[in-house]
Amino acid sequence: MPNHLLDTRDFNKQEIQNILELAEQFLDGKPSNSLKGHIIVTIFFENSTRTLSSFEFATKKLGGKVVRLEVSRSSTNKGETLFDTAANLNAMNPSAIIVRHKNAGVPNILSKYVSCSIINGGDGAHAHPTQALLDLLTLKKYLGHLEGKKIAIVGDIRNSRVANSNIELLSRFGMEIILVGPPHFIPETSLRHSVFLKNIINEVDAVMSLRTQTERHNSPIYSSLQDYASDYCITKELFGERDIILLHPGPVIRNIDISDEMLEDERCKVLEQVTNGVAIRMAVLETLIARKPPKSPKNFPYF
Protein backbone atom coordinates (compact mmCIF):
# COMPACT_ATOMS: atom_id res chain seq x y z
CA MET A 1 0.00 0.00 0.00
CA PRO A 2 1.48 3.39 -0.96
CA ASN A 3 2.16 5.99 1.72
CA HIS A 4 0.78 8.89 -0.35
CA LEU A 5 -2.01 9.69 -2.80
CA LEU A 6 -0.51 12.07 -5.34
CA ASP A 7 -2.06 10.69 -8.51
CA THR A 8 -4.61 8.02 -9.41
CA ARG A 9 -1.71 5.85 -10.61
CA ASP A 10 -0.54 5.49 -7.01
CA PHE A 11 -3.19 2.80 -6.46
CA ASN A 12 -3.47 -0.36 -8.52
CA LYS A 13 -6.86 -1.53 -9.72
CA GLN A 14 -7.46 -3.89 -6.79
CA GLU A 15 -6.55 -1.18 -4.26
CA ILE A 16 -9.02 1.15 -5.98
CA GLN A 17 -11.72 -1.54 -5.82
CA ASN A 18 -11.04 -1.87 -2.11
CA ILE A 19 -11.40 1.90 -1.63
CA LEU A 20 -14.69 1.92 -3.55
CA GLU A 21 -16.05 -0.95 -1.46
CA LEU A 22 -15.02 0.78 1.76
CA ALA A 23 -16.62 4.04 0.59
CA GLU A 24 -19.87 2.19 -0.15
CA GLN A 25 -19.83 0.83 3.41
CA PHE A 26 -19.46 4.37 4.74
CA LEU A 27 -22.37 5.50 2.55
CA ASP A 28 -24.43 2.69 4.12
CA GLY A 29 -23.68 4.09 7.58
CA LYS A 30 -20.81 1.87 8.70
CA PRO A 31 -19.46 3.40 11.93
CA SER A 32 -15.73 3.88 12.31
CA ASN A 33 -13.44 5.48 14.84
CA SER A 34 -10.32 4.51 12.94
CA LEU A 35 -8.67 7.94 13.08
CA LYS A 36 -9.07 8.46 16.82
CA GLY A 37 -5.84 10.01 18.05
CA HIS A 38 -4.81 11.11 14.54
CA ILE A 39 -4.42 14.71 13.40
CA ILE A 40 -4.80 15.72 9.74
CA VAL A 41 -3.41 19.02 8.46
CA THR A 42 -4.95 20.83 5.48
CA ILE A 43 -2.99 23.44 3.49
CA PHE A 44 -4.94 24.92 0.58
CA PHE A 45 -3.15 27.58 -1.45
CA GLU A 46 -6.16 27.79 -3.78
CA ASN A 47 -9.80 28.32 -2.88
CA SER A 48 -11.96 25.27 -2.24
CA THR A 49 -15.41 24.45 -0.93
CA ARG A 50 -16.09 20.78 -1.66
CA THR A 51 -12.60 19.25 -1.40
CA LEU A 52 -11.50 21.08 1.74
CA SER A 53 -14.80 20.68 3.58
CA SER A 54 -15.26 17.04 2.61
CA PHE A 55 -11.78 16.09 3.83
CA GLU A 56 -12.58 17.79 7.13
CA PHE A 57 -15.97 16.04 7.35
CA ALA A 58 -14.29 12.73 6.48
CA THR A 59 -11.63 13.12 9.16
CA LYS A 60 -14.13 14.00 11.87
CA LYS A 61 -16.51 11.20 10.87
CA LEU A 62 -13.60 8.81 11.44
CA GLY A 63 -12.88 10.26 14.88
CA GLY A 64 -9.81 12.29 13.89
CA LYS A 65 -8.99 15.95 14.35
CA VAL A 66 -8.24 18.59 11.71
CA VAL A 67 -5.77 21.46 11.82
CA ARG A 68 -6.47 23.88 8.96
CA LEU A 69 -3.43 26.02 8.15
CA GLU A 70 -4.73 29.42 7.08
CA VAL A 71 -2.32 30.27 4.28
CA SER A 72 -3.08 34.00 4.49
CA ARG A 73 -1.91 33.95 8.13
CA SER A 74 0.97 31.51 7.78
CA SER A 75 4.68 32.27 7.66
CA THR A 76 4.71 31.70 3.90
CA ASN A 77 3.64 35.37 3.78
CA LYS A 78 6.82 36.25 5.69
CA GLY A 79 9.05 34.54 3.17
CA GLU A 80 9.14 31.02 4.60
CA THR A 81 9.44 28.45 1.81
CA LEU A 82 6.74 25.86 1.30
CA PHE A 83 9.31 23.18 2.05
CA ASP A 84 10.18 24.74 5.41
CA THR A 85 6.47 24.98 6.19
CA ALA A 86 6.05 21.27 5.43
CA ALA A 87 9.14 20.36 7.46
CA ASN A 88 7.84 22.26 10.47
CA LEU A 89 4.39 20.69 10.21
CA ASN A 90 5.95 17.24 9.83
CA ALA A 91 7.91 17.84 13.05
CA MET A 92 4.57 18.16 14.86
CA ASN A 93 3.84 14.54 13.88
CA PRO A 94 0.55 14.73 11.95
CA SER A 95 -0.76 11.58 10.29
CA ALA A 96 -1.34 13.28 6.94
CA ILE A 97 -1.05 16.61 5.19
CA ILE A 98 -3.61 17.41 2.51
CA VAL A 99 -2.33 20.05 0.11
CA ARG A 100 -3.75 22.03 -2.81
CA HIS A 101 -1.48 24.29 -4.84
CA LYS A 102 -1.64 26.23 -8.09
CA ASN A 103 1.64 24.69 -9.27
CA ALA A 104 1.71 21.16 -10.62
CA GLY A 105 4.04 18.78 -8.78
CA VAL A 106 4.08 20.47 -5.36
CA PRO A 107 2.46 17.52 -3.47
CA ASN A 108 4.93 15.12 -5.11
CA ILE A 109 7.92 17.23 -4.05
CA LEU A 110 6.63 17.60 -0.48
CA SER A 111 6.12 13.85 -0.19
CA LYS A 112 9.88 13.34 -0.40
CA TYR A 113 10.51 15.40 2.73
CA VAL A 114 7.89 14.24 5.22
CA SER A 115 7.26 11.04 7.14
CA CYS A 116 3.47 11.43 7.16
CA SER A 117 1.13 10.80 4.23
CA ILE A 118 0.67 13.52 1.62
CA ILE A 119 -2.70 13.64 -0.14
CA ASN A 120 -3.06 15.73 -3.25
CA GLY A 121 -6.13 17.97 -3.05
CA GLY A 122 -5.41 19.32 -6.54
CA ASP A 123 -2.18 20.62 -8.06
CA GLY A 124 -2.29 23.07 -10.93
CA ALA A 125 -3.65 21.50 -14.09
CA HIS A 126 -2.01 18.17 -13.20
CA ALA A 127 -4.13 15.92 -10.98
CA HIS A 128 -7.05 15.67 -8.56
CA PRO A 129 -7.09 11.98 -7.58
CA THR A 130 -9.87 11.94 -4.97
CA GLN A 131 -12.21 13.74 -7.37
CA ALA A 132 -11.62 11.04 -9.97
CA LEU A 133 -12.24 8.34 -7.36
CA LEU A 134 -15.58 9.85 -6.34
CA ASP A 135 -16.54 10.25 -10.00
CA LEU A 136 -15.71 6.58 -10.55
CA LEU A 137 -17.89 5.60 -7.58
CA THR A 138 -20.79 7.70 -8.91
CA LEU A 139 -20.50 6.26 -12.42
CA LYS A 140 -20.34 2.67 -11.17
CA LYS A 141 -23.47 3.19 -9.08
CA TYR A 142 -25.55 4.17 -12.13
CA LEU A 143 -23.81 2.39 -15.00
CA GLY A 144 -22.65 -0.77 -13.23
CA HIS A 145 -19.79 -2.44 -15.08
CA LEU A 146 -17.94 0.34 -16.91
CA GLU A 147 -16.17 -1.74 -19.54
CA GLY A 148 -17.28 -0.50 -22.97
CA LYS A 149 -19.35 2.40 -21.64
CA LYS A 150 -18.74 5.90 -23.05
CA ILE A 151 -18.37 9.25 -21.32
CA ALA A 152 -18.06 12.70 -22.89
CA ILE A 153 -15.89 15.19 -20.99
CA VAL A 154 -16.98 18.68 -22.02
CA GLY A 155 -15.24 22.03 -21.65
CA ASP A 156 -11.85 23.38 -20.65
CA ILE A 157 -10.02 20.06 -20.72
CA ARG A 158 -6.55 21.47 -21.40
CA ASN A 159 -6.52 23.25 -18.02
CA SER A 160 -8.39 20.64 -16.00
CA ARG A 161 -6.70 18.49 -13.36
CA VAL A 162 -10.07 16.75 -12.93
CA ALA A 163 -10.05 15.74 -16.59
CA ASN A 164 -6.47 14.43 -16.37
CA SER A 165 -7.21 12.21 -13.38
CA ASN A 166 -10.50 10.98 -14.80
CA ILE A 167 -8.98 10.16 -18.18
CA GLU A 168 -6.38 7.95 -16.50
CA LEU A 169 -8.72 6.27 -14.03
CA LEU A 170 -11.83 5.77 -16.16
CA SER A 171 -9.75 4.44 -19.05
CA ARG A 172 -8.25 1.87 -16.69
CA PHE A 173 -11.76 0.69 -15.85
CA GLY A 174 -12.63 0.27 -19.52
CA MET A 175 -14.57 3.43 -20.33
CA GLU A 176 -14.19 5.08 -23.73
CA ILE A 177 -13.60 8.80 -23.28
CA ILE A 178 -14.61 11.39 -25.84
CA LEU A 179 -13.32 14.92 -25.34
CA VAL A 180 -15.67 17.74 -26.34
CA GLY A 181 -14.76 21.39 -26.69
CA PRO A 182 -13.32 24.05 -28.96
CA PRO A 183 -9.91 23.09 -30.40
CA HIS A 184 -8.01 25.47 -28.08
CA PHE A 185 -9.49 23.63 -25.06
CA ILE A 186 -8.39 20.16 -26.24
CA PRO A 187 -4.88 18.96 -25.28
CA GLU A 188 -2.67 16.96 -27.58
CA THR A 189 -4.08 13.47 -27.25
CA SER A 190 -4.83 10.24 -29.04
CA LEU A 191 -8.34 10.26 -27.55
CA ARG A 192 -11.30 10.84 -29.79
CA HIS A 193 -12.65 14.38 -29.67
CA SER A 194 -15.55 16.40 -31.03
CA VAL A 195 -16.16 20.13 -31.26
CA PHE A 196 -19.81 19.86 -30.20
CA LEU A 197 -21.60 17.53 -27.78
CA LYS A 198 -24.66 17.29 -30.04
CA ASN A 199 -22.54 15.40 -32.58
CA ILE A 200 -21.90 12.45 -30.25
CA ILE A 201 -24.56 12.66 -27.52
CA ASN A 202 -26.58 9.73 -28.91
CA GLU A 203 -23.73 7.29 -28.22
CA VAL A 204 -22.61 8.24 -24.69
CA ASP A 205 -23.76 6.89 -21.32
CA ALA A 206 -22.54 9.85 -19.26
CA VAL A 207 -21.47 13.47 -19.64
CA MET A 208 -18.99 15.28 -17.41
CA SER A 209 -19.15 19.07 -17.68
CA LEU A 210 -16.15 21.15 -16.60
CA ARG A 211 -15.77 24.74 -15.47
CA THR A 212 -14.05 27.15 -17.84
CA GLN A 213 -10.95 28.02 -15.83
CA THR A 214 -10.39 31.61 -16.89
CA GLU A 215 -7.81 32.06 -14.11
CA ARG A 216 -5.50 29.67 -15.99
CA HIS A 217 -5.86 31.44 -19.35
CA ASN A 218 -3.05 33.76 -20.41
CA SER A 219 -5.46 35.85 -22.47
CA PRO A 220 -9.24 35.94 -23.03
CA ILE A 221 -10.36 33.14 -25.35
CA TYR A 222 -14.06 34.02 -25.57
CA SER A 223 -15.49 37.53 -25.65
CA SER A 224 -17.66 36.46 -22.70
CA LEU A 225 -18.67 33.35 -20.79
CA GLN A 226 -22.14 33.76 -22.26
CA ASP A 227 -20.58 33.42 -25.71
CA TYR A 228 -18.95 30.15 -24.58
CA ALA A 229 -22.24 28.98 -23.03
CA SER A 230 -24.09 29.35 -26.31
CA ASP A 231 -22.10 26.35 -27.57
CA TYR A 232 -21.27 24.34 -24.44
CA CYS A 233 -23.87 24.86 -21.71
CA ILE A 234 -25.58 21.55 -20.88
CA THR A 235 -29.32 22.06 -21.28
CA LYS A 236 -32.40 19.90 -20.98
CA GLU A 237 -33.09 20.53 -24.65
CA LEU A 238 -29.69 19.04 -25.50
CA PHE A 239 -30.22 15.98 -23.27
CA GLY A 240 -33.78 15.40 -24.42
CA GLU A 241 -35.19 12.17 -22.97
CA ARG A 242 -31.92 10.26 -23.24
CA ASP A 243 -30.88 7.90 -20.43
CA ILE A 244 -27.63 9.71 -19.63
CA ILE A 245 -26.21 10.84 -16.29
CA LEU A 246 -24.58 14.23 -15.84
CA LEU A 247 -21.57 14.97 -13.62
CA HIS A 248 -19.65 18.12 -12.74
CA PRO A 249 -16.77 18.48 -10.23
CA GLY A 250 -17.91 21.93 -9.09
CA PRO A 251 -18.14 24.76 -8.72
CA VAL A 252 -20.90 24.83 -11.32
CA ILE A 253 -21.27 28.16 -13.08
CA ARG A 254 -25.04 28.20 -13.57
CA ASN A 255 -26.25 28.73 -17.13
CA ILE A 256 -22.64 28.68 -18.35
CA ASP A 257 -21.67 25.07 -17.58
CA ILE A 258 -25.14 23.66 -16.86
CA SER A 259 -28.56 25.31 -17.11
CA ASP A 260 -30.73 25.87 -14.03
CA GLU A 261 -33.32 23.47 -15.42
CA MET A 262 -30.77 20.72 -16.02
CA LEU A 263 -29.36 21.08 -12.50
CA GLU A 264 -32.82 20.16 -11.21
CA ASP A 265 -33.10 17.15 -13.52
CA GLU A 266 -32.91 13.72 -11.84
CA ARG A 267 -30.16 12.71 -14.29
CA CYS A 268 -27.88 15.37 -12.81
CA LYS A 269 -25.75 13.79 -10.06
CA VAL A 270 -23.76 16.86 -8.96
CA LEU A 271 -24.91 16.87 -5.33
CA GLU A 272 -24.61 13.10 -5.10
CA GLN A 273 -20.98 13.48 -6.18
CA VAL A 274 -20.47 15.70 -3.13
CA THR A 275 -21.99 13.05 -0.85
CA ASN A 276 -19.82 10.37 -2.46
CA GLY A 277 -16.80 12.63 -2.03
CA VAL A 278 -17.02 12.47 1.76
CA ALA A 279 -17.23 8.66 1.67
CA ILE A 280 -14.33 8.34 -0.78
CA ARG A 281 -12.15 10.62 1.32
CA MET A 282 -13.05 8.65 4.42
CA ALA A 283 -11.96 5.49 2.59
CA VAL A 284 -8.71 7.08 1.40
CA LEU A 285 -7.82 8.37 4.87
CA GLU A 286 -8.60 5.05 6.54
CA THR A 287 -6.61 3.18 3.90
CA LEU A 288 -3.53 5.40 4.05
CA ILE A 289 -3.47 5.94 7.82
CA ALA A 290 -5.40 3.35 9.80
CA ARG A 291 -4.75 0.29 7.66
CA LYS A 292 -0.99 0.50 7.30
CA PRO A 293 1.58 -0.69 9.84
CA PRO A 294 3.15 1.97 12.07
CA LYS A 295 6.40 3.42 10.77
CA SER A 296 9.50 4.12 12.77
CA PRO A 297 10.21 7.84 13.15
CA LYS A 298 12.74 9.20 10.66
CA ASN A 299 14.84 12.30 10.74
CA PHE A 300 14.38 14.47 7.68
CA PRO A 301 16.69 17.33 6.73
CA TYR A 302 15.61 20.79 7.72
CA PHE A 303 16.01 23.03 4.69
Side-chain angles (χ1 to χ4, degrees):
M1 178 60 60
N3 190 40
H4 310 290
L5 177 55
L6 310 173
D7 187 274
T8 50
R9 296 177 181 86
D10 288 332
F11 292 115
N12 63 38
K13 197 169 180 180
Q14 184 56 57
E15 289 167 341
I16 290 169
Q17 293 279 21
N18 294 343
I19 286 173
L20 295 180
E21 290 173 8
L22 185 55
E24 288 173 344
Q25 292 175 34
F26 289 135
L27 285 170
D28 290 339
K30 174 198 173 189
S32 178
N33 207 27
S34 59
L35 292 193
K36 184 178 181 179
H38 291 273
I39 296 176
I40 310 301
V41 177
T42 59
I43 318 176
F44 277 55
F45 290 86
E46 287 186 315
N47 293 335
S48 173
T49 298
R50 281 149 297 279
T51 304
L52 177 59
S53 298
S54 63
F55 266 117
E56 294 183 348
F57 267 90
T59 301
K60 292 175 181 180
K61 280 176 172 284
L62 294 172
K65 297 184 182 298
V66 177
V67 173
R68 181 192 296 191
L69 181 67
E70 297 289 350
V71 173
S72 63
R73 300 178 182 177
S74 74
S75 290
T76 56
N77 286 327
K78 299 178 181 179
E80 182 177 73
T81 69
L82 179 59
F83 306 105
D84 280 334
T85 298
N88 278 275
L89 289 172
N90 187 66
M92 298 178 197
N93 200 31
S95 297
I97 298 174
I98 303 163
V99 61
R100 170 173 287 190
H101 202 276
K102 67 179 181 179
N103 294 330
V106 165
N108 182 60
I109 294 170
L110 294 182
S111 71
K112 302 181 187 305
Y113 297 98
V114 298
S115 54
C116 66
S117 293
I118 293 286
I119 300 174
N120 183 0
D123 61 328
H126 171 240
H128 196 345
T130 57
Q131 179 67 48
L133 287 167
L134 73 89
D135 292 338
L136 176 64
L137 178 63
T138 307
L139 288 164
K140 284 178 71 67
K141 177 177 180 180
Y142 288 98
L143 302 182
H145 192 60
L146 298 183
E147 189 76 35
K149 300 290 176 64
K150 296 183 182 182
I151 183 169
I153 302 180
V154 182
D156 191 1
I157 298 159
R158 183 185 295 273
N159 293 293
S160 176
R161 55 193 172 213
V162 172
N164 284 339
S165 290
N166 268 293
I167 287 169
E168 192 286 319
L169 188 61
L170 300 182
S171 296
R172 217 181 335 155
F173 278 79
M175 291 200 83
E176 179 183 341
I177 296 166
I178 306 172
L179 306 182
V180 178
H184 42 274
F185 280 180
I186 305 295
E188 292 186 14
T189 178
S190 60
L191 293 173
R192 180 181 168 194
H193 53 89
S194 173
V195 175
F196 298 111
L197 180 59
K198 65 183 180 182
N199 295 339
I200 53 93
I201 195 167
N202 285 328
E203 58 181 290
V204 300
D205 303 285
V207 171
M208 179 181 296
S209 173
L210 301 174
R211 180 175 66 88
T212 301
Q213 300 188 50
T214 53
E215 73 274 14
R216 301 190 195 280
H217 298 166
N218 294 324
S219 59
I221 295 176
Y222 279 90
S223 58
S224 69
L225 285 177
Q226 285 71 26
D227 185 34
Y228 166 83
S230 66
D231 289 329
Y232 295 102
C233 184
I234 309 298
T235 64
K236 200 159 186 175
E237 180 183 15
L238 179 63
F239 260 47
E241 299 302 319
R242 297 176 179 90
D243 185 18
I244 304 173
I245 64 168
L246 175 61
L247 308 182
H248 192 296
V252 177
I253 310 303
R254 283 177 174 265
N255 300 308
I256 302 295
D257 305 334
I258 303 174
S259 71
D260 286 335
E261 187 180 24
M262 196 62 215
L263 283 168
E264 299 299 322
D265 192 285
E266 63 180 9
R267 293 168 292 181
C268 181
K269 307 303 179 185
V270 171
L271 293 180
E272 191 164 337
Q273 286 174 270
V274 177
T275 300
N276 291 343
V278 175
I280 279 289
R281 286 159 182 140
M282 289 173 71
V284 167
L285 288 167
E286 182 161 307
T287 299
L288 288 178
I289 297 170
R291 298 195 172 197
K292 69 182 180 184
K295 295 173 63 177
S296 300
K298 294 182 180 180
N299 293 319
F300 287 81
Y302 184 84
F303 47 90

